[in-house]
Amino acid sequence: MSRICIIGTGYVGMASAIGFAELGHTIVGFDIMPERVADLQRGITPYREAGIEETLAKHLKTGRMRFTANQQEAVRSAQLVLISVGTPALADGSCDLTGLRQCVAALRKCDLTDCAAVVLRSTVPPGTSDDVAKQLENIAEVIYAPEFLREGNAVADFLKPDRTVIGAESITAAVAYATLFEPLQAPIMLTSRRSAELIKGASNAFLALKISFANEIANLCDALGADSLDVLRGVGSDRRIGPAFLMPGIGFGGPCFEKDLKSLERTATRRMVNCELVSGALRVNERQPKRIVEILTAELGSLQGRRIGVWGLAFKAGTDDIRDSLAVRILEDLSERGAIVRAFDPAIRSANLPENCTLVTTALDAADADALLVLTEWPEFREVSPHAIARNLSARLVVDGRNALDIERIVDAGLRYRGVGRTADPVLELEAVS
Ligand code: UGA
């Protein structure tokens, strides 16, 4: 069993820490935020994810996990040092590598005698880990090993990977890291550091591309009176295409896709390479939240003074994260148009919302409005009685930006339903456009 130091205790760092502890390794987590370290040491996680607090508590008790705000001490006697610090987007779309640079500068002063490799796991532009290797020349071997973890599902994804990608120039270092993943029995791919960096960027770009494609087809379904769920199910049933990430909605949000695609686009532009599909996926995604508001205005007319109920603020179900959530962008748009918004999200107890937007504590409280907008696909929304919704919804309109509700039950309760590429009566819709 190995002694592993993990630098950075965000989603990726914590999922890796818990995952490796589950596999029997000893983990020391380091973070520059002393308050976060103190919380973690008491078993309090910085974000919501099913099962994560219980597993953390278990490993704090077994002594397999501990946290410190002292990097020198965290790294001392570690056999592997994993870096998973944040690499957020700058205003021009490039990656902010300040945190990573600080971390590497600090590592140069640490005792890395026992360390087989420093493993960079943060998402970075290609070429970054070669730079880190130069910084750590004669101090430690450097590996780039991307993560493919989804927020809300990160520990499960860690323990059940489709593949483990290891970008390394030294076989000994690669083997030291690869050995950790043997019990997971997933294929291990050994590449150069640069290729591994691009595998991460290109994977996120392809997933985002699928979502934008689904949204484009769903918008076409709206115009043609076809049903987007049937169409995309039919498309995804082709094994060469696959059903995953073809769910149309309000667009892809969250801290990864938009940032990573913009960073890839920028890297390509710098090298004078056209990445038109990546740019196209971003453009479709920019328009999609506006499309949801267009559906609302097509039904209601001006939104000035209209009361809009909103279900869901998180960028997807299963998380309390509203970073780069398109639901929040839609709220901003509604607020600018003079709407009065009551928003509910089962995972969010407080948030800084735009003017005239209030956070309420129950789904039905939010539905006390003219129309209801569904912006996150929380499964519990399907459990709310459509008749109870209908009682207070004065314009009797539900715009389901995630195709999350049961269309038949909504219509049976006397409500109008507009989804993304789905309406209550596609045939009538077709007649209306022809
Ligand atoms: C994404 C990738 O899925 C992970 O593999 C990757 O490791 C991670 O980014 C990262 O780079 O760190 P994540 O951002 O947590 O994970 O969330 P996803 O589940 O991929 O969803 C992203 C957005 O796309 C959400 O807003 C979601 O609602 C939306 N989405 C997803 C759709 O609109 N339709 C879909 O079919 C799937």
Side-chain angles (χ1 to χ4, degrees):
M1 290 300 140
S2 300
R3 293 185 301 275
I4 303 172
C5 165
I6 296 189
I7 300 180
T9 58
Y11 290 89
V12 174
M14 280 308 295
S16 312
I18 289 178
F20 283 128
E22 288 281 271
L23 295 176
H25 304 289
T26 308
I27 311 299
V28 181
F30 162 77
D31 205 290
I32 48 166
M33 289 184 275
E35 341 54 83
R36 178 175 289 192
V37 168
D39 276 352
L40 283 166
Q41 201 51 43
R42 283 187 291 139
I44 303 166
T45 52
Y47 58 90
R48 176 193 149 127
E49 177 150 341
I52 191 171
E53 289 208 340
E54 293 86 318
T55 329
L56 172 64
K58 180 174 88 184
H59 291 302
L60 286 170
K61 225 181 218 165
T62 58
R64 230 181 263 164
M65 275 175 95
R66 70 180 178 86
F67 297 88
T68 170
N70 180 331
Q71 187 166 339
Q72 301 245 353
E73 190 247 318
V75 168
R76 195 176 305 133
S77 79
Q79 292 162 311
L80 285 153
V81 173
L82 271 54
I83 304 177
S84 46
V85 296
T87 49
L90 289 168
D92 66 357
S94 63
C95 235
D96 183 356
L97 298 175
T98 318
L100 175 63
R101 288 202 189 98
Q102 281 166 356
C103 161
V104 173
L107 274 181
R108 284 167 59 89
K109 298 184 192 131
C110 290
D111 176 5
L112 290 166
T113 341
D114 292 340
C115 179
V118 168
V119 186
L120 181 55
R121 303 213 75 204
S122 314
T123 302
V124 291
T128 308
S129 45
D130 283 351
D131 290 344
V132 171
K134 269 190 213 131
Q135 297 289 312
L136 296 179
E137 204 165 6
N138 301 324
I139 301 175
E141 288 294 340
V142 171
I143 288 177
Y144 183 74
E147 53 78 21
F148 304 100
L149 313 172
R150 288 164 300 168
E151 274 189 39
N153 217 46
V155 176
D157 284 348
F158 179 94
L159 293 169
K160 238 180 169 306
D162 286 346
R163 76 300 206 188
T164 298
V165 175
I166 302 178
E169 311 301 324
S170 146
I171 288 288
T172 324
V175 168
Y177 186 63
T179 310
L180 302 180
F181 292 89
E182 257 168 20
L184 302 181
Q185 296 184 335
I188 291 179
M189 260 189 85
L190 185 60
T191 71
S192 71
R193 286 189 289 247
R194 258 164 216 250
S195 298
E197 286 165 331
L198 195 52
I199 288 173
K200 168 67 190 200
S203 300
N204 272 4
F206 192 75
L207 292 170
L209 207 63
K210 282 187 93 175
I211 299 169
S212 279
F213 177 79
N215 284 331
E216 220 166 55
I217 296 298
N219 296 342
L220 192 57
C221 287
D222 261 334
L224 295 173
D227 183 306
S228 62
L229 290 193
D230 286 346
V231 171
L232 289 159
R233 200 180 307 124
V235 172
S237 301
D238 185 323
R239 268 182 299 163
R240 293 168 301 174
I241 299 171
F245 279 69
L246 282 181
M247 188 55 81
I250 64 172
F252 52 79
C256 302
F257 281 169
E258 191 183 345
K259 167 186 91 96
D260 292 353
L261 266 69
K262 283 189 173 161
S263 167
L264 194 62
E265 195 183 36
R266 209 183 141 78
T267 302
T269 310
R270 277 194 178 149
R271 299 277 197 295
M272 318 276 251
V273 176
N274 262 339
C275 266
E276 281 172 38
L277 291 177
V278 174
S279 307
L282 282 166
R283 273 201 304 277
V284 171
N285 203 55
E286 187 79 22
R287 280 201 301 268
Q288 196 63 10
K290 297 185 185 125
R291 163 105 189 109
I292 305 303
V293 179
E294 274 164 23
I295 296 177
L296 197 62
T297 52
E299 296 280 342
L300 290 184
S302 162
L303 296 183
Q304 184 64 45
R306 298 307 294 260
R307 298 177 314 128
I308 310 297
V310 165
W311 281 1
L313 294 172
F315 84 91
K316 63 174 180 177
T319 173
D320 57 359
D321 196 349
I322 57 168
R323 286 177 297 166
D324 288 311
S325 167
L326 296 184
V328 175
R329 263 181 235 174
I330 290 173
L331 251 60
E332 282 160 7
D333 194 351
L334 295 176
S335 161
E336 275 164 25
R337 289 164 189 261
I340 298 153
V341 177
R342 293 159 75 78
F344 168 71
D345 188 296
I348 295 167
R349 291 286 153 264
S350 69
N352 254 342
L353 297 182
E355 206 182 338
N356 287 329
C357 300
T358 318
L359 193 64
V360 297
T361 51
T362 68
L364 281 180
D365 209 355
D368 185 1
D370 295 337
L372 177 65
L373 210 53
V374 181
L375 300 181
T376 310
E377 70 287 15
W378 286 103
E380 44 264 64
F381 292 156
R382 285 177 78 91
E383 309 304 319
V384 182
S385 151
H387 289 282
I389 303 172
R391 267 197 288 280
N392 288 328
L393 209 58
S394 56
R396 310 192 77 73
L397 171 69
V398 175
V399 177
D400 185 356
R402 296 292 196 154
N403 293 342
L405 302 182
D406 184 332
I407 191 164
E408 277 170 21
R409 289 183 64 219
I410 296 290
V411 173
D412 285 351
L415 294 165
R416 277 185 298 149
Y417 177 94
R418 292 289 313 264
V420 185
R422 308 187 81 203
T423 56
D425 190 339
V427 177
L428 287 182
E429 188 78 358
L430 181 61
E431 280 168 9
V433 290
S434 58

mmCIF file of all heavy atoms in Angstrom, residues 147-151 200 204 207 211 245-247 251-253 256-257 260 315-316 402, ligand 1:
data_model
loop_
_atom_site.group_PDB
_atom_site.id
_atom_site.type_symbol
_atom_site.label_atom_id
_atom_site.label_comp_id
_atom_site.label_asym_id
_atom_site.label_seq_id
_atom_site.Cartn_x
_atom_site.Cartn_y
_atom_site.Cartn_z
ATOM 1 N N GLU A 147 -8.343 13.221 -15.210
ATOM 2 C CA GLU A 147 -9.475 12.563 -14.525
ATOM 3 C C GLU A 147 -10.697 12.703 -15.415
ATOM 4 O O GLU A 147 -10.796 13.647 -16.191
ATOM 5 C CB GLU A 147 -9.679 13.177 -13.141
ATOM 6 C CG GLU A 147 -9.810 14.697 -13.107
ATOM 7 C CD GLU A 147 -11.158 15.205 -13.522
ATOM 8 O OE1 GLU A 147 -12.114 14.425 -13.466
ATOM 9 O OE2 GLU A 147 -11.257 16.383 -13.919
ATOM 10 N N PHE A 148 -11.613 11.743 -15.292
ATOM 11 C CA PHE A 148 -12.841 11.785 -16.086
ATOM 12 C C PHE A 148 -14.035 11.675 -15.125
ATOM 13 O O PHE A 148 -14.981 10.923 -15.352
ATOM 14 C CB PHE A 148 -12.847 10.647 -17.116
ATOM 15 C CG PHE A 148 -11.639 10.677 -18.022
ATOM 16 C CD1 PHE A 148 -10.555 9.843 -17.788
ATOM 17 C CD2 PHE A 148 -11.571 11.571 -19.084
ATOM 18 C CE1 PHE A 148 -9.430 9.882 -18.610
ATOM 19 C CE2 PHE A 148 -10.446 11.626 -19.912
ATOM 20 C CZ PHE A 148 -9.368 10.774 -19.672
ATOM 21 N N LEU A 149 -13.935 12.387 -14.014
ATOM 22 C CA LEU A 149 -14.934 12.258 -12.946
ATOM 23 C C LEU A 149 -16.036 13.278 -13.113
ATOM 24 O O LEU A 149 -15.772 14.442 -13.410
ATOM 25 C CB LEU A 149 -14.260 12.474 -11.585
ATOM 26 C CG LEU A 149 -12.950 11.720 -11.347
ATOM 27 C CD1 LEU A 149 -12.298 12.171 -10.050
ATOM 28 C CD2 LEU A 149 -13.216 10.220 -11.328
ATOM 29 N N ARG A 150 -17.273 12.844 -12.907
ATOM 30 C CA ARG A 150 -18.404 13.778 -12.956
ATOM 31 C C ARG A 150 -18.763 14.229 -11.554
ATOM 32 O O ARG A 150 -18.831 13.387 -10.641
ATOM 33 C CB ARG A 150 -19.636 13.098 -13.570
ATOM 34 C CG ARG A 150 -19.522 12.856 -15.042
ATOM 35 C CD ARG A 150 -20.563 11.868 -15.480
ATOM 36 N NE ARG A 150 -20.392 10.593 -14.784
ATOM 37 C CZ ARG A 150 -21.273 9.606 -14.784
ATOM 38 N NH1 ARG A 150 -22.407 9.729 -15.414
ATOM 39 N NH2 ARG A 150 -21.035 8.477 -14.124
ATOM 40 N N GLU A 151 -19.016 15.513 -11.393
ATOM 41 C CA GLU A 151 -19.472 16.011 -10.093
ATOM 42 C C GLU A 151 -20.742 15.270 -9.708
ATOM 43 O O GLU A 151 -21.586 14.995 -10.560
ATOM 44 C CB GLU A 151 -19.790 17.507 -10.187
ATOM 45 C CG GLU A 151 -18.580 18.356 -9.978
ATOM 46 C CD GLU A 151 -18.934 19.826 -9.843
ATOM 47 O OE1 GLU A 151 -19.965 20.155 -9.212
ATOM 48 O OE2 GLU A 151 -18.174 20.630 -10.374
ATOM 49 N N LYS A 200 -7.772 14.476 -22.448
ATOM 50 C CA LYS A 200 -8.740 15.086 -21.524
ATOM 51 C C LYS A 200 -9.555 16.182 -22.232
ATOM 52 O O LYS A 200 -10.787 16.179 -22.212
ATOM 53 C CB LYS A 200 -7.981 15.661 -20.318
ATOM 54 C CG LYS A 200 -8.797 16.564 -19.427
ATOM 55 C CD LYS A 200 -9.891 15.809 -18.721
ATOM 56 C CE LYS A 200 -10.833 16.798 -18.046
ATOM 57 N NZ LYS A 200 -11.610 16.230 -17.013
ATOM 58 N N ASN A 204 -13.737 15.960 -23.220
ATOM 59 C CA ASN A 204 -14.776 16.905 -22.794
ATOM 60 C C ASN A 204 -15.390 17.612 -24.003
ATOM 61 O O ASN A 204 -16.600 17.855 -24.043
ATOM 62 C CB ASN A 204 -14.203 17.933 -21.810
ATOM 63 C CG ASN A 204 -14.288 17.421 -20.374
ATOM 64 O OD1 ASN A 204 -14.705 16.290 -20.133
ATOM 65 N ND2 ASN A 204 -13.880 18.245 -19.422
ATOM 66 N N LEU A 207 -17.926 15.228 -25.643
ATOM 67 C CA LEU A 207 -19.161 15.107 -24.850
ATOM 68 C C LEU A 207 -20.020 16.368 -25.026
ATOM 69 O O LEU A 207 -21.236 16.288 -25.227
ATOM 70 C CB LEU A 207 -18.822 14.897 -23.369
ATOM 71 C CG LEU A 207 -18.169 13.549 -23.028
ATOM 72 C CD1 LEU A 207 -17.647 13.541 -21.596
ATOM 73 C CD2 LEU A 207 -19.172 12.403 -23.219
ATOM 74 N N ILE A 211 -23.877 17.057 -26.709
ATOM 75 C CA ILE A 211 -24.987 17.790 -26.084
ATOM 76 C C ILE A 211 -25.473 18.895 -27.023
ATOM 77 O O ILE A 211 -26.675 19.064 -27.238
ATOM 78 C CB ILE A 211 -24.560 18.385 -24.722
ATOM 79 C CG1 ILE A 211 -24.145 17.277 -23.757
ATOM 80 C CG2 ILE A 211 -25.693 19.217 -24.116
ATOM 81 C CD1 ILE A 211 -23.459 17.773 -22.488
ATOM 82 N N PHE A 245 -25.142 11.309 -23.268
ATOM 83 C CA PHE A 245 -24.907 12.734 -23.545
ATOM 84 C C PHE A 245 -25.669 13.243 -24.767
ATOM 85 O O PHE A 245 -25.215 14.131 -25.466
ATOM 86 C CB PHE A 245 -23.397 13.037 -23.636
ATOM 87 C CG PHE A 245 -22.807 13.197 -22.266
ATOM 88 C CD1 PHE A 245 -22.689 12.100 -21.419
ATOM 89 C CD2 PHE A 245 -22.424 14.437 -21.785
ATOM 90 C CE1 PHE A 245 -22.215 12.227 -20.125
ATOM 91 C CE2 PHE A 245 -21.948 14.584 -20.490
ATOM 92 C CZ PHE A 245 -21.843 13.472 -19.664
ATOM 93 N N LEU A 246 -26.852 12.654 -24.986
ATOM 94 C CA LEU A 246 -27.711 13.145 -26.063
ATOM 95 C C LEU A 246 -29.005 13.705 -25.476
ATOM 96 O O LEU A 246 -30.033 13.705 -26.130
ATOM 97 C CB LEU A 246 -28.032 12.026 -27.048
ATOM 98 C CG LEU A 246 -26.938 11.665 -28.061
ATOM 99 C CD1 LEU A 246 -27.400 10.557 -28.989
ATOM 100 C CD2 LEU A 246 -26.503 12.884 -28.889
ATOM 101 N N MET A 247 -28.943 14.136 -24.205
ATOM 102 C CA MET A 247 -30.156 14.650 -23.573
ATOM 103 C C MET A 247 -30.247 16.164 -23.828
ATOM 104 O O MET A 247 -29.423 16.924 -23.344
ATOM 105 C CB MET A 247 -30.096 14.362 -22.071
ATOM 106 C CG MET A 247 -31.378 14.664 -21.337
ATOM 107 S SD MET A 247 -32.806 13.828 -22.034
ATOM 108 C CE MET A 247 -32.630 12.209 -21.304
ATOM 109 N N GLY A 251 -28.654 23.507 -22.210
ATOM 110 C CA GLY A 251 -27.239 23.647 -22.578
ATOM 111 C C GLY A 251 -26.360 23.086 -21.475
ATOM 112 O O GLY A 251 -26.837 22.795 -20.382
ATOM 113 N N PHE A 252 -25.068 22.912 -21.783
ATOM 114 C CA PHE A 252 -24.167 22.378 -20.757
ATOM 115 C C PHE A 252 -23.640 23.504 -19.883
ATOM 116 O O PHE A 252 -23.247 24.552 -20.364
ATOM 117 C CB PHE A 252 -23.024 21.554 -21.357
ATOM 118 C CG PHE A 252 -22.231 22.215 -22.459
ATOM 119 C CD1 PHE A 252 -21.248 23.148 -22.167
ATOM 120 C CD2 PHE A 252 -22.475 21.894 -23.787
ATOM 121 C CE1 PHE A 252 -20.507 23.737 -23.183
ATOM 122 C CE2 PHE A 252 -21.746 22.485 -24.819
ATOM 123 C CZ PHE A 252 -20.755 23.417 -24.512
ATOM 124 N N GLY A 253 -23.724 23.269 -18.556
ATOM 125 C CA GLY A 253 -23.212 24.256 -17.603
ATOM 126 C C GLY A 253 -22.137 23.634 -16.744
ATOM 127 O O GLY A 253 -21.635 22.547 -17.056
ATOM 128 N N CYS A 256 -16.654 22.859 -15.926
ATOM 129 C CA CYS A 256 -15.692 22.151 -16.802
ATOM 130 C C CYS A 256 -15.862 22.409 -18.291
ATOM 131 O O CYS A 256 -14.942 22.899 -18.950
ATOM 132 C CB CYS A 256 -15.763 20.657 -16.537
ATOM 133 S SG CYS A 256 -15.416 20.253 -14.823
ATOM 134 N N PHE A 257 -17.027 22.051 -18.852
ATOM 135 C CA PHE A 257 -17.138 21.995 -20.314
ATOM 136 C C PHE A 257 -16.835 23.325 -21.001
ATOM 137 O O PHE A 257 -15.999 23.395 -21.899
ATOM 138 C CB PHE A 257 -18.532 21.508 -20.725
ATOM 139 C CG PHE A 257 -18.711 20.018 -20.622
ATOM 140 C CD1 PHE A 257 -19.960 19.439 -20.745
ATOM 141 C CD2 PHE A 257 -17.622 19.186 -20.414
ATOM 142 C CE1 PHE A 257 -20.133 18.062 -20.655
ATOM 143 C CE2 PHE A 257 -17.766 17.808 -20.322
ATOM 144 C CZ PHE A 257 -19.029 17.251 -20.441
ATOM 145 N N ASP A 260 -13.205 24.278 -20.571
ATOM 146 C CA ASP A 260 -12.259 23.403 -21.278
ATOM 147 C C ASP A 260 -12.346 23.594 -22.793
ATOM 148 O O ASP A 260 -11.337 23.556 -23.490
ATOM 149 C CB ASP A 260 -12.510 21.930 -20.915
ATOM 150 C CG ASP A 260 -12.159 21.650 -19.457
ATOM 151 O OD1 ASP A 260 -11.610 22.544 -18.801
ATOM 152 O OD2 ASP A 260 -12.455 20.543 -18.970
ATOM 153 N N PHE A 315 -26.169 23.234 -11.705
ATOM 154 C CA PHE A 315 -25.882 23.050 -13.137
ATOM 155 C C PHE A 315 -26.286 21.677 -13.638
ATOM 156 O O PHE A 315 -26.399 21.450 -14.836
ATOM 157 C CB PHE A 315 -24.415 23.394 -13.459
ATOM 158 C CG PHE A 315 -23.411 22.301 -13.224
ATOM 159 C CD1 PHE A 315 -23.080 21.415 -14.234
ATOM 160 C CD2 PHE A 315 -22.776 22.177 -12.000
ATOM 161 C CE1 PHE A 315 -22.146 20.413 -14.040
ATOM 162 C CE2 PHE A 315 -21.827 21.185 -11.794
ATOM 163 C CZ PHE A 315 -21.521 20.291 -12.813
ATOM 164 N N LYS A 316 -26.540 20.767 -12.704
ATOM 165 C CA LYS A 316 -27.147 19.474 -13.038
ATOM 166 C C LYS A 316 -27.664 18.865 -11.737
ATOM 167 O O LYS A 316 -27.311 19.341 -10.642
ATOM 168 C CB LYS A 316 -26.143 18.542 -13.711
ATOM 169 C CG LYS A 316 -24.975 18.172 -12.815
ATOM 170 C CD LYS A 316 -24.107 17.133 -13.475
ATOM 171 C CE LYS A 316 -22.950 16.767 -12.582
ATOM 172 N NZ LYS A 316 -22.120 15.721 -13.144
ATOM 173 N N ARG A 402 -35.607 20.809 -19.252
ATOM 174 C CA ARG A 402 -34.800 19.586 -19.136
ATOM 175 C C ARG A 402 -35.558 18.348 -19.602
ATOM 176 O O ARG A 402 -35.062 17.231 -19.414
ATOM 177 C CB ARG A 402 -34.379 19.372 -17.682
ATOM 178 C CG ARG A 402 -33.472 20.438 -17.133
ATOM 179 C CD ARG A 402 -32.119 20.394 -17.804
ATOM 180 N NE ARG A 402 -31.137 21.138 -17.041
ATOM 181 C CZ ARG A 402 -29.834 20.883 -17.073
ATOM 182 N NH1 ARG A 402 -29.379 19.927 -17.834
ATOM 183 N NH2 ARG A 402 -29.009 21.609 -16.384
HETATM 184 C C1 UGA B 1 -17.689 16.630 -16.998
HETATM 185 C C2 UGA B 1 -17.368 15.289 -17.672
HETATM 186 O O1 UGA B 1 -18.553 14.530 -17.839
HETATM 187 C C3 UGA B 1 -16.353 14.500 -16.827
HETATM 188 O O2 UGA B 1 -15.981 13.308 -17.530
HETATM 189 C C4 UGA B 1 -15.115 15.367 -16.601
HETATM 190 O O3 UGA B 1 -14.163 14.693 -15.806
HETATM 191 C C5 UGA B 1 -15.527 16.649 -15.902
HETATM 192 O O4 UGA B 1 -16.477 17.346 -16.742
HETATM 193 C C6 UGA B 1 -14.303 17.488 -15.696
HETATM 194 O O5 UGA B 1 -13.687 17.905 -16.689
HETATM 195 O O6 UGA B 1 -13.860 17.643 -14.556
HETATM 196 P P1 UGA B 1 -19.339 17.421 -15.057
HETATM 197 O O7 UGA B 1 -19.033 18.797 -15.545
HETATM 198 O O8 UGA B 1 -19.268 17.119 -13.615
HETATM 199 O O9 UGA B 1 -18.363 16.346 -15.784
HETATM 200 O O10 UGA B 1 -20.833 17.102 -15.489
HETATM 201 P P2 UGA B 1 -21.581 16.341 -16.667
HETATM 202 O O11 UGA B 1 -22.371 15.265 -16.063
HETATM 203 O O12 UGA B 1 -20.671 16.002 -17.765
HETATM 204 O O13 UGA B 1 -22.599 17.496 -17.164
HETATM 205 C C7 UGA B 1 -22.141 18.740 -17.685
HETATM 206 C C8 UGA B 1 -23.322 19.562 -18.156
HETATM 207 O O14 UGA B 1 -23.906 18.990 -19.322
HETATM 208 C C9 UGA B 1 -24.459 19.682 -17.139
HETATM 209 O O15 UGA B 1 -24.984 20.986 -17.156
HETATM 210 C C10 UGA B 1 -25.484 18.679 -17.636
HETATM 211 O O16 UGA B 1 -26.801 18.976 -17.239
HETATM 212 C C11 UGA B 1 -25.309 18.832 -19.141
HETATM 213 N N1 UGA B 1 -25.771 17.652 -19.917
HETATM 214 C C12 UGA B 1 -25.159 16.444 -19.744
HETATM 215 C C13 UGA B 1 -26.798 17.792 -20.844
HETATM 216 O O17 UGA B 1 -27.354 18.903 -21.009
HETATM 217 N N2 UGA B 1 -27.172 16.713 -21.571
HETATM 218 C C14 UGA B 1 -26.578 15.496 -21.423
HETATM 219 O O18 UGA B 1 -26.986 14.536 -22.152
HETATM 220 C C15 UGA B 1 -25.551 15.353 -20.494
#
